[in-house]
Amino acid sequence: MVPARLLVLVSTLGAAASAQQPVVSYVQLGQRIGCTRDVVLADFDRDGRDDLIIAVGSCGDEILPGGRRIEIHLKRKQRPYFSLTPDRVLALVPDVIAFAVADVHPNPGAEIVLFSATRAVAVFWEKGRKEPRYAAVARTTLLFQPASPRDVFEIQECVQDLDGDGKDELVVPEPGGYRLVFPWNKDRNSVIELPPARATARERAASRFLGQRESLKIGITTTSSRSRGNLIDVHDILPPPRFIDWDGDGDRDLCALSGQQLLVWLQGADGKFSAKPAFAEDLPRQRGTIVDFTFSAQAGDLDGDKRAEVLIVYSHSQDNEVQSTVEVYRQHGDDEPMFDKPAEKLRLQGFCNEPRLQDVDGDNKPDLVIGTLRPDVLDALTSGGGKTFEGQINLFRSRFTATGGRFQRPVALVHKVTVPARNLRERRSLLASFFFDVDRNGLRDLLMRMHFERLEVLPTSTRGRRFEVGDPIWNLSINPGAKVRVFSDDKHAVIVVREPRQVIHVEFR
């Protein structure tokens, strides 16, 4: 008879063996001087394989001979997928702020689009030529400026196919709005101006209080010419645009949140966007906590009717306990306000992070993935680095239909996590995403980075009517300061890890 412990071991090994192991590729700078500053995953040569485009700048305060540069590593059919020596190198002039990869010029393949404070320029290599060529794309006023001259960052999200014709357009953030650039039809170029955000009741009350003062004095004192800095700082904030089919006509419309007001510009049959927002409505007023870092609002098609719904998350206190609420709002008739009454309300204990809408169970409807933290997490934030806090990842399956529905109760999955308090202070580096069906059982598996130095994939399986997460079936040790991005669809998933001296490319199929 085989001992029970041995049976369990065999079962665990069998489950791990059935999971597909990814292809891991390393692109190291080696003897090349500099540190990675950003990276883009895009099909540069249009051969159907996504390439690595790496921006390289100085490390710390060092002087980088030759200045900043962009290295292009083309993906090959055979392994290793990427050569350690870049296929192309592009030196960057000092006024370059950001870059992206887009097909904006008749030259075969895509181009590197460089952005300065005043213009966008396409860079390409003609067949048989080693030196790059440059072509103007558009005059722009790019909003974002780097904090250091050694920085250069990617703005690949600015590359969009707005009209669904398979060609790239650019959505450039500018002070006060967005510039829409159609390189293949410049007659359609336009600027969408974002109306100023209206002051909240709290801001209006503070303004009235300050207005009661008899005078306002501004003093500027400089003690040394060596310590001179900026005398005045101006902050210009622009909400990120979201392109989604708002009205169900098959076109991608533009949504933006200005203060507490949701604005929507509809795309017409001619591919042009309305000059003024076709929809402008205040979000519902909620009685949140004094510091509500959980508030978020996002749009998505939850019920499959091709129109967008709005999901809002906020925290509030009740009976000396912190609770978070998830509300879903549907579109109604033209004369009926959207945010009058939620179609769904879900309450959770503790603080919530920004939710993810991901189809975990493969039914083509986005499920709700949301993490919760215990109410005393603020104590953990102010404690020493040795403290830890406990939270959990919650999965609610979607049961929305075109006529009704809700998130299924009880919760389909609860996975408890323990994270060092120091990691919470950099919560943007934390990661919990149902990214890909690694073990081919019909459910997306969970990619996690709760500890900065490790990536893990945990398998998702059914347990009765609920789901459960198993022990890790894959892990990777990474630099604690590494930046991680995930790209996935139904056929494959790619994890890009950017460390100071190398980029790690992990591909699941």
Side-chain angles (χ1 to χ4, degrees):
M1 177 176 287
V2 180
R5 285 186 300 174
L6 183 56
L7 285 176
V8 173
L9 178 61
V10 172
S11 175
T12 303
L13 289 175
S18 64
Q20 181 192 38
Q21 294 301 304
V23 178
V24 183
S25 307
Y26 295 85
V27 178
Q28 300 173 337
L29 295 184
Q31 299 300 317
R32 301 192 299 279
I33 300 174
C35 286
T36 65
R37 308 304 302 182
D38 221 331
V39 61
V40 165
L41 183 71
D43 186 2
F44 177 74
D45 54 3
R46 292 301 195 254
D47 64 350
R49 296 183 293 271
D50 286 337
D51 311 304
L52 285 174
I53 295 86
I54 305 171
V56 180
S58 60
C59 301
D61 296 328
E62 73 174 2
I63 298 177
L64 188 64
R68 304 164 301 165
R69 65 184 185 272
I70 289 179
E71 297 186 356
I72 302 172
H73 295 260
L74 300 178
K75 187 180 180 184
R76 305 177 294 195
K77 292 182 179 179
Q78 70 278 11
R79 302 180 188 178
Y81 286 151
F82 302 96
S83 171
L84 294 181
T85 303
D87 297 276
R88 298 281 188 184
V89 177
L90 175 65
L92 299 179
V93 296
D95 66 339
V96 171
I97 298 170
F99 72 100
V101 178
D103 189 1
V104 296
H105 188 273
N107 185 72
E111 290 76 45
I112 302 294
V113 182
L114 302 180
F115 294 87
S116 70
T118 59
R119 60 180 177 166
V121 175
V123 184
F124 56 94
W125 286 262
E126 292 181 335
K127 187 176 181 180
R129 292 176 60 98
K130 293 184 178 180
E131 296 300 319
R133 297 286 302 275
Y134 297 80
V137 177
R139 302 287 297 182
T140 67
T141 308
L142 186 65
L143 176 63
F144 308 115
Q145 307 291 324
S148 169
R150 68 174 181 270
D151 287 333
V152 58
F153 55 89
E154 60 91 4
I155 50 175
Q156 190 64 25
E157 291 185 1
C158 293
V159 181
Q160 300 281 338
D161 180 8
L162 298 177
D163 51 9
D165 64 352
K167 296 180 179 179
D168 290 335
E169 285 84 45
L170 302 178
V171 182
V172 184
E174 297 188 340
Y178 315 100
R179 181 175 297 274
L180 308 184
V181 179
F182 291 79
W184 306 97
N185 187 355
K186 295 184 179 181
D187 292 338
R188 294 167 59 186
N189 289 357
S190 61
V191 175
I192 292 181
E193 295 184 359
L194 198 69
R198 291 184 294 188
T200 64
R202 181 176 299 179
E203 291 170 339
R204 288 194 296 269
S207 178
R208 286 194 297 268
F209 177 77
L210 290 174
Q212 294 174 0
R213 296 182 178 179
E214 295 182 354
S215 63
L216 177 64
K217 297 180 180 180
I218 299 177
I220 299 176
T221 303
T222 58
T223 58
S224 171
S225 59
R226 296 181 179 179
S227 62
R228 268 185 215 158
N230 295 331
L231 298 181
I232 298 177
D233 287 333
V234 177
H235 297 272
D236 201 334
I237 300 174
L238 190 70
R242 174 73 190 276
F243 290 92
I244 189 172
D245 188 0
W246 176 263
D247 53 2
D249 65 352
D251 295 326
R252 301 180 70 196
D253 307 307
L254 191 157
C255 303
L257 188 63
S258 177
Q260 293 293 308
Q261 189 177 45
L262 178 63
L263 305 170
V264 180
W265 288 263
L266 298 179
Q267 183 176 178
D270 58 356
K272 294 183 178 181
F273 287 81
S274 55
K276 296 183 179 180
F279 176 90
E281 192 169 323
D282 291 336
L283 297 181
R285 295 180 180 178
Q286 309 293 352
R287 294 182 178 179
T289 57
I290 295 177
V291 180
D292 186 5
F293 58 82
T294 69
F295 176 82
S296 68
Q298 57 182 289
D301 181 12
L302 298 179
D303 54 18
D305 68 349
K306 308 303 181 182
R307 297 191 306 169
E309 286 75 48
V310 176
L311 184 145
I312 297 175
V313 179
Y314 62 94
S315 64
H316 52 97
S317 298
Q318 183 173 350
D319 299 329
N320 296 324
E321 292 186 356
V322 176
Q323 294 184 345
S324 292
T325 299
V326 179
E327 295 180 345
V328 176
Y329 293 87
R330 293 174 178 266
Q331 297 187 51
H332 305 296
D334 294 337
D335 298 329
E336 188 175 352
M338 181 175 185
F339 299 117
D340 183 31
K341 182 180 180 181
E344 163 70 307
K345 180 177 287 190
L346 180 66
R347 297 190 185 278
L348 299 168
Q349 295 295 321
F351 293 103
C352 289
N353 70 339
E354 185 173 350
R356 292 176 180 266
L357 296 174
Q358 298 180 311
D359 181 14
V360 179
D361 54 8
D363 64 353
N364 295 320
K365 292 183 179 180
D367 306 306
L368 174 64
V369 181
I370 189 166
T372 53
L373 308 175
R374 67 192 187 197
D376 60 343
V377 66
L378 294 178
D379 294 335
L381 282 172
T382 57
S383 65
K387 296 290 185 69
T388 61
F389 74 91
E390 294 184 0
Q392 60 188 38
I393 300 168
N394 308 281
L395 169 64
F396 292 89
R397 301 178 74 179
S398 173
R399 290 297 179 261
F400 286 96
T401 66
T403 58
R406 62 191 305 204
F407 290 116
Q408 186 181 43
R409 275 79 151 180
V411 59
L413 181 145
V414 174
H415 179 62
K416 297 186 180 299
V417 294
T418 301
V419 183
R422 62 180 178 85
N423 291 15
L424 183 62
R425 299 187 186 96
E426 301 180 42
R427 58 193 180 96
R428 292 183 181 179
S429 297
L430 299 177
L431 176 64
S433 174
F434 288 89
F435 79 122
F436 188 65
D437 184 8
V438 176
D439 54 9
R440 301 300 194 207
N441 68 345
L443 303 175
R444 290 196 177 193
D445 299 310
L446 181 61
L447 175 65
M448 287 184 48
R449 185 193 187 185
M450 292 293 106
H451 298 270
F452 286 167
E453 67 278 1
R454 186 169 68 253
L455 281 175
E456 296 179 329
V457 173
L458 287 68
T460 307
S461 60
T462 57
R463 184 178 183 181
R465 299 181 61 183
R466 302 181 65 182
F467 299 153
E468 66 179 2
V469 171
D471 295 330
I473 55 177
W474 177 84
N475 66 78
L476 177 70
S477 296
I478 60 177
N479 187 299
K483 305 299 181 183
V484 179
R485 297 190 65 184
V486 183
F487 309 85
S488 65
D489 54 31
D490 293 337
K491 296 182 180 180
H492 79 300
V494 174
I495 305 169
V496 177
V497 181
R498 182 178 66 83
E499 298 182 346
R501 295 287 300 166
Q502 70 176 357
V503 173
I504 309 174
H505 179 278
V506 183
E507 183 170 2
F508 290 87
R509 284 193 177 272

